[in-house]
Amino acid sequence: MDALQPVLDGFGVVLDPTNLLYCLLGVVIGMLIGVLPGLGPAATIAILLPLTYGIEPVTAIIMLAGIFYGAQYGGTITSVLLRLPGEASSVVTVFDGYVLAKQGRAGTALGIAAIGSFIGGTVAIIGLTFLAPLVAGFALDFGPAEYAALALLGILLVATISNGAKLKALIAAAVGLLLATVGRDIFTGAERYTFGNLNLADGIDFVPVAMGLFGLGEILYNLEERHRAAQAPAKVANVWPSKADLKQSSGAIGRGSVLGFFLGILPGGGATIASMAAYAMEKKRAKDPSRFGRGAIEGVAGPETANNAAATSSFIPLLTLGIPANATMALMFGALLIQGVTPGPQLVEQHPDLFWGVVNSMYIGNILLLIMSIPLVGLFVRILRVRAAILAPITALITMLGAYTINNSMFDVTLVVFFGAIGYLMKKFGFEPGPLVLAFVLGSLLESSLRRSLLVFEGDLAGFVTRPISATLLLIFVIVAVAPMVQSLLRRRKTAADHVPEKENA
């Protein structure tokens, strides 16, 4: 009973009227942001970070978590009704969701997505409840060497697993590591890359980087991209799916829950990768794969379940190891630091109210999401009719005001503008900002842990492989780094072997 007491106390934290209100607010904002194409939860959390200063830590993180998993379902609405993914994790939902809407089954698609999202999220929360304390207990054995290896592995996984070209992701991660070195050396006090500017002496603050890359950068890019002609949204009827639809989708929902949970834990995984993997798995398992892309209900159920499960399970490495699994978790990491809370193995023991309050808030948030998802569809579709030319300047103004209020510094505003321009150019040329931000967050952990380890090992790098946990993490690092090269080599050999018989026959 004593072991369950913190969990029960967590429900007491969530059921506080203020926390319940912010949980509801977070879910509604998340759904709204998911509907607006391009903005996404990372940009929204970046913009709202300054507002969390005046809120209790538990309340702030409950709201931000609600934004994250609420956005996963919000993106489904426009994917199904307008063939316009509101969130990256909803891209694959377009393939079958929009076709179902054209067939007059938009309500069925949205209903299945809502049920799948609820089940996937709930399964992941149960997994989070039981797995996170075990991971935190295991992580208490981590020293500087283990954290250095884990940070290095996290950066590599983010760069290699993330969407887009791997080389571009590695370049972005390298830039993030470089930015993390700006400021005074924590061991010697020497200034690095400050160019004599006192504002840079303490390093670059995380918030202006996040608000610039994800906030202003996304706004500028979306203003350029949102030139599509307005489409009339499909009518929503027969919201709740039939028994046949539920039976047909049950397997996809079950598989999506498990797949999404495990992919969400991986650094660089997250909701987008999970939804794509779930869609590919359902198509591969289907007796008639040609149904996919023509209105297969499993093509909606699997990805929508997986992305919500992944969104929830990505909190495990953040809360237990202090390692953000994706860009949005990096922003959560920043929000916790702003509140004076350091995520990691000690979080469960030192801040049980925050840990279990946030975890248990997801149970309530998922129920709220299920209840509100369908009735609010009409409202969200109307919001889509607001012109980007009106919405973008208001959002940009809020971003700038938020940046200024952090330290009452115009230098922070300048940094936001600078990183906003960088973010726009990165999106323009196919570079994802996620690896940069994650490497920036993990860079200081990597450097401090590596240098502390070298002091302990008296400069001997062999010390990293003498400790079982760090040696295992480094072995995984080598496998992840070498695997793509081996696959490429085998592919070339196979192609060369296929061409040899053709030449002999000729």
Side-chain angles (χ1 to χ4, degrees):
M1 186 65 188
D2 291 339
L4 288 174
Q5 194 57 47
V7 183
L8 298 174
D9 291 342
F11 279 109
V13 172
V14 183
L15 295 174
D16 177 83
T18 303
N19 291 336
L20 270 177
L21 177 62
Y22 275 91
C23 181
L24 174 63
L25 184 63
V27 170
V28 172
I29 292 173
M31 291 178 69
L32 173 60
I33 292 308
V35 167
L36 294 173
L39 195 54
T44 307
I45 292 170
I47 292 166
L48 293 178
L49 275 180
L51 300 181
T52 62
Y53 279 137
I55 308 173
E56 288 294 316
V58 182
T59 308
I61 303 304
I62 283 174
M63 181 185 71
L64 296 180
I67 290 172
F68 185 36
Y69 54 80
Q72 307 309 318
Y73 181 75
T76 310
I77 296 170
T78 46
S79 293
V80 171
L81 300 183
L82 297 173
R83 202 180 183 183
L84 193 65
E87 168 58 18
S89 60
S90 298
V91 170
V92 293
T93 308
V94 168
F95 303 154
D96 289 281
Y98 185 67
V99 177
L100 285 166
K102 285 176 69 178
Q103 295 170 357
R105 302 181 67 202
T108 301
L110 291 172
I112 281 290
I115 293 167
S117 296
F118 173 74
I119 293 173
T122 303
V123 167
I125 299 162
I126 294 168
L128 175 60
T129 302
F130 288 101
L131 187 61
L134 296 175
V135 175
F138 169 73
L140 288 171
D141 295 330
F142 275 40
E146 285 74 20
Y147 270 109
L150 186 63
L152 193 64
L153 177 61
I155 292 167
L156 179 68
L157 283 170
V158 165
T160 53
I161 298 176
S162 62
N163 301 322
K166 289 180 174 57
L167 179 60
K168 290 182 177 180
L170 284 168
I171 292 169
V175 173
L177 286 174
L178 180 64
L179 290 172
T181 63
V182 174
R184 290 191 186 92
D185 187 302
I186 57 173
F187 289 91
T188 66
E191 292 190 0
R192 305 178 298 189
Y193 309 117
T194 61
F195 306 103
N197 191 323
L198 289 176
N199 291 302
L200 292 173
D202 292 326
I204 299 173
D205 195 28
F206 171 77
V207 178
V209 175
M211 293 179 79
L213 289 174
F214 289 106
L216 192 59
E218 292 284 343
I219 292 165
L220 293 172
Y221 182 74
N222 290 327
L223 274 175
E224 184 179 61
E225 291 296 310
R226 286 187 67 178
H227 51 71
R228 300 185 187 184
Q231 302 177 50
K235 291 182 179 180
V236 180
N238 302 321
V239 171
W240 295 112
S242 64
K243 286 183 180 179
D245 288 324
L246 286 171
K247 186 178 179 181
Q248 196 173 357
S249 305
S250 58
I253 290 172
R255 288 185 290 271
S257 298
V258 176
L259 182 67
F261 177 79
F262 286 107
L263 287 179
I265 296 172
L266 290 175
T272 304
I273 297 292
S275 64
M276 292 179 177
Y279 188 85
M281 182 170 69
E282 292 309 313
K283 189 172 181 179
K284 192 172 183 180
R285 284 181 56 88
K287 293 179 181 177
D288 181 14
S290 64
R291 290 174 49 247
F292 285 76
R294 298 180 182 177
I297 196 71
E298 306 98 302
V300 174
E304 287 302 314
T305 303
N307 66 29
N308 266 63
T312 302
S313 65
S314 59
F315 279 87
I316 292 177
L318 173 73
L319 297 176
T320 59
L321 300 174
I323 300 291
N326 51 56
T328 308
M329 288 299 106
L331 295 165
M332 291 283 189
F333 184 94
L336 285 164
L337 293 180
I338 286 170
Q339 297 286 348
V341 177
T342 303
Q346 301 290 342
L347 185 65
V348 182
E349 296 294 330
Q350 294 179 354
H351 301 279
D353 57 332
L354 187 147
F355 182 87
W356 291 112
V358 170
V359 171
N360 292 344
S361 74
M362 296 180 191
Y363 288 106
I364 308 295
N366 264 279
I367 294 169
L368 292 172
L369 192 63
L370 181 65
I371 293 169
M372 296 187 305
S373 55
I374 302 304
L376 291 178
V377 168
L379 172 63
F380 290 139
V381 170
R382 287 192 189 94
I383 290 168
L384 281 170
R385 292 171 185 162
V386 178
R387 287 186 298 154
I390 296 171
L391 208 57
I394 295 171
T395 313
L397 178 64
I398 293 169
T399 304
M400 293 303 179
L401 286 172
Y404 180 77
T405 55
I406 296 168
N407 298 311
N408 292 330
S409 168
M410 279 305 297
F411 182 74
D412 286 345
V413 176
T414 305
L415 281 179
V416 171
V417 173
F418 173 75
F419 283 107
I422 296 294
Y424 164 75
L425 291 172
M426 287 181 74
K427 294 282 285 185
K428 182 86 171 168
F429 293 103
F431 288 83
E432 285 296 322
L436 189 155
V437 172
L438 280 158
F440 177 73
V441 169
L442 294 175
S444 56
L445 173 66
L446 175 62
E447 182 187 11
S448 61
S449 300
L450 178 63
R451 293 175 69 176
R452 284 192 179 98
S453 301
L454 290 174
L455 286 172
V456 172
F457 300 144
E458 297 180 346
D460 185 7
L461 289 171
F464 285 96
V465 296
T466 60
R467 295 172 65 93
I469 298 175
S470 62
T472 304
L473 291 169
L474 288 173
L475 177 63
I476 297 170
F477 175 87
V478 172
I479 292 169
V480 172
V482 172
M485 292 184 277
V486 173
Q487 286 177 344
S488 178
L489 183 64
L490 290 173
R491 203 178 296 117
R492 286 179 185 175
R493 283 187 176 180
K494 186 181 178 184
T495 305
D498 289 341
H499 284 296
V500 169
E502 292 178 12
K503 289 180 181 179
E504 287 178 354
N505 290 334

